[in-house]
Amino acid sequence: MKTAHISKNLFIFFLAALLIVSAGKAYSFDYKGIDLKLRASVSEIYDDNITFVHENEKEDFITNLSFGLGVKYEGKTRSLELTANIFQQFFADYDNFNNTSEDLTLNFQQEFSRYDRISLRDVFTHTYEPRSFEEAFGITRGRYSYYRNRFNLAYTKDISRQFSISARYASEIDEVSREDLSDSSLNRVGLDATYFPTSATILMFSYDFSRRDFDPGGNATIHTIAPGLRHYFTRQLYFDGKAGIDFINSYNDKNYAKPLIQASVTNDIDENSRVSISFTRRYYTNAYTQDLFDYWQTSGTFTRRLFKRLGCSLSGFYGEGEYITTNIADKLRGVSVGFTYDLSKKLKGNLRYTYSDVDSTIDTREYTKNKIFLGLAMEF
């Protein structure tokens, strides 16, 4: 029976691959500055722990079909970019996990004059598992669907050639399908000041106020004051840093003053290679638990075009965090390595392996997960 289920998924995979390849003669549309592109992909995934559990893991082969739309417009004073994707997953053995997920990203920029402008970004996601190590870190275990919408709006005013200020508003909505988990929302307002003392150094100062509410549940607020800088050692190598203080009123009405540290180094080695590494240390109110999460994490990525058609990427993540009230502590380590091969100008082949491992003071929160991804993607 298991072999029959796998054969069915392979049939779907190869049929979809054939349709994608046969669509290679299609083209993108460009009309009055509007660039419209369509995307389609098919992939086969092996996952040895589809439910993120510590014991009695379930493994399966998953066929993933996706279709996407991209719209881009660039004018003299404004630009708009919209991307939308829909994904359908078919599980070979556990077909009760078959699902449909979606995402939508909107970017808009408007210049009112040479000195002031706004930028807007909205990202909507409906999915059934974390899409990155950062999302998986500290999340409540198990397989369940969740909706997330992140909205950011900023207005920037150039006071002089060296000094600018900006005002920001951001919101985040997280809704989960599990009845034992609460939905949450986050609202944030902030002010930034940016000064360019030299062409190689940018000085910044920011203030943020944020409030997270759980429904049902309580709320927590954070006032953040943080100076920062960006320094270019060369045109390709630069450092970003921020150090400040979070003044927190937590869910239990206790007040804290905790440090915030963020740092990253990026090196655009050449047109074919890029490497970056980042570090974050702070106390935060995440979307999963009504408790402060005291954590630090570091991550790194490396991408390189090995040959004209072959590219590779490598990423790693390590994080440690503890919930203040419950004293639950988690550690997550993960690594991902992938290769992309340009079969033609529009058709790409992808191969990726991902490993993640979680240790916790609560056994039921621990799991190890291996995923192998093989796919074809077409943009036309």
Side-chain angles (χ1 to χ4, degrees), residues 246-292:
D246 287 323
F247 297 95
I248 308 168
N249 179 253
S250 189
Y251 303 98
N252 55 10
D253 287 330
K254 288 187 177 180
N255 295 316
Y256 303 88
K258 297 297 182 179
L260 160 66
I261 301 173
Q262 294 178 333
S264 66
V265 177
T266 303
N267 189 2
D268 297 315
I269 301 171
D270 54 41
E271 62 180 7
N272 296 317
S273 305
R274 190 174 195 267
V275 62
S276 65
I277 186 169
S278 64
F279 173 85
T280 301
R281 169 76 171 91
R282 75 180 306 185
Y283 284 62
Y284 197 60
T285 59
N286 68 22
Y288 319 119
T289 305
Q290 297 182 59
D291 198 352
L292 282 183

Side-chain angles (χ1 to χ4, degrees), residues 145-372:
S145 70
Y146 62 89
Y147 295 84
R148 170 174 292 166
N149 193 84
R150 292 179 174 176
F151 174 84
N152 290 273
L153 177 65
Y155 169 78
T156 302
K157 175 74 173 180
D158 296 330
I159 306 301
S160 68
R161 295 181 61 182
Q162 293 181 287
F163 183 66
S164 65
I165 59 174
S166 64
R168 294 176 285 103
Y169 169 74
S171 68
E172 178 182 318
I173 299 174
D174 292 270
E175 297 183 359
V176 294
S177 60
R178 283 176 47 174
E179 295 183 357
D180 60 323
L181 298 177
S182 298
D183 300 333
S184 72
S185 63
L186 176 72
N187 287 278
R188 179 188 295 118
V189 293
L191 296 172
D192 294 319
T194 305
Y195 177 64
F196 299 78
T198 69
S199 60
T201 302
I202 305 172
L203 300 180
M204 295 167 282
F205 180 85
S206 65
Y207 164 77
D208 282 273
F209 170 77
S210 64
R211 170 172 168 152
R212 185 176 293 279
D213 292 89
F214 278 86
D215 180 23
N219 65 78
T221 60
I222 302 179
H223 295 266
T224 302
I225 299 175
L229 67 86
R230 168 176 286 191
H231 180 73
Y232 287 87
F233 300 101
T234 67
R235 289 185 177 182
Q236 294 79 27
L237 177 63
Y238 57 92
F239 167 83
D240 287 296
K242 179 186 289 188
I245 300 177
D246 287 323
F247 297 95
I248 308 168
N249 179 253
S250 189
Y251 303 98
N252 55 10
D253 287 330
K254 288 187 177 180
N255 295 316
Y256 303 88
K258 297 297 182 179
L260 160 66
I261 301 173
Q262 294 178 333
S264 66
V265 177
T266 303
N267 189 2
D268 297 315
I269 301 171
D270 54 41
E271 62 180 7
N272 296 317
S273 305
R274 190 174 195 267
V275 62
S276 65
I277 186 169
S278 64
F279 173 85
T280 301
R281 169 76 171 91
R282 75 180 306 185
Y283 284 62
Y284 197 60
T285 59
N286 68 22
Y288 319 119
T289 305
Q290 297 182 59
D291 198 352
L292 282 183
F293 193 49
D294 172 19
Y295 76 96
W296 69 268
Q297 66 181 44
T298 184
S299 61
T301 60
F302 173 74
T303 59
R304 179 171 176 78
R305 175 66 62 172
L306 298 174
F307 302 103
K308 184 178 180 179
R309 293 192 173 189
L310 180 64
C312 72
S313 63
L314 175 66
S315 63
F317 178 91
Y318 182 84
E320 295 186 8
E322 181 178 3
Y323 288 101
I324 300 302
T325 302
T326 60
N327 297 123
I328 297 174
D330 288 343
K331 297 179 183 179
L332 188 151
R333 57 184 68 87
V335 64
S336 179
V337 58
F339 295 90
T340 301
Y341 186 78
D342 298 337
L343 298 168
S344 68
K345 186 177 180 180
K346 301 176 182 178
L347 184 64
K348 298 181 184 293
N350 298 283
L351 174 64
R352 185 170 65 252
Y353 167 73
T354 302
Y355 167 82
S356 55
D357 176 74
V358 172
D359 290 328
S360 178
T361 52
I362 305 297
D363 289 344
T364 55
R365 293 174 63 86
E366 297 183 338
Y367 70 87
T368 300
K369 190 178 186 72
N370 293 274
K371 292 181 69 174
I372 300 174

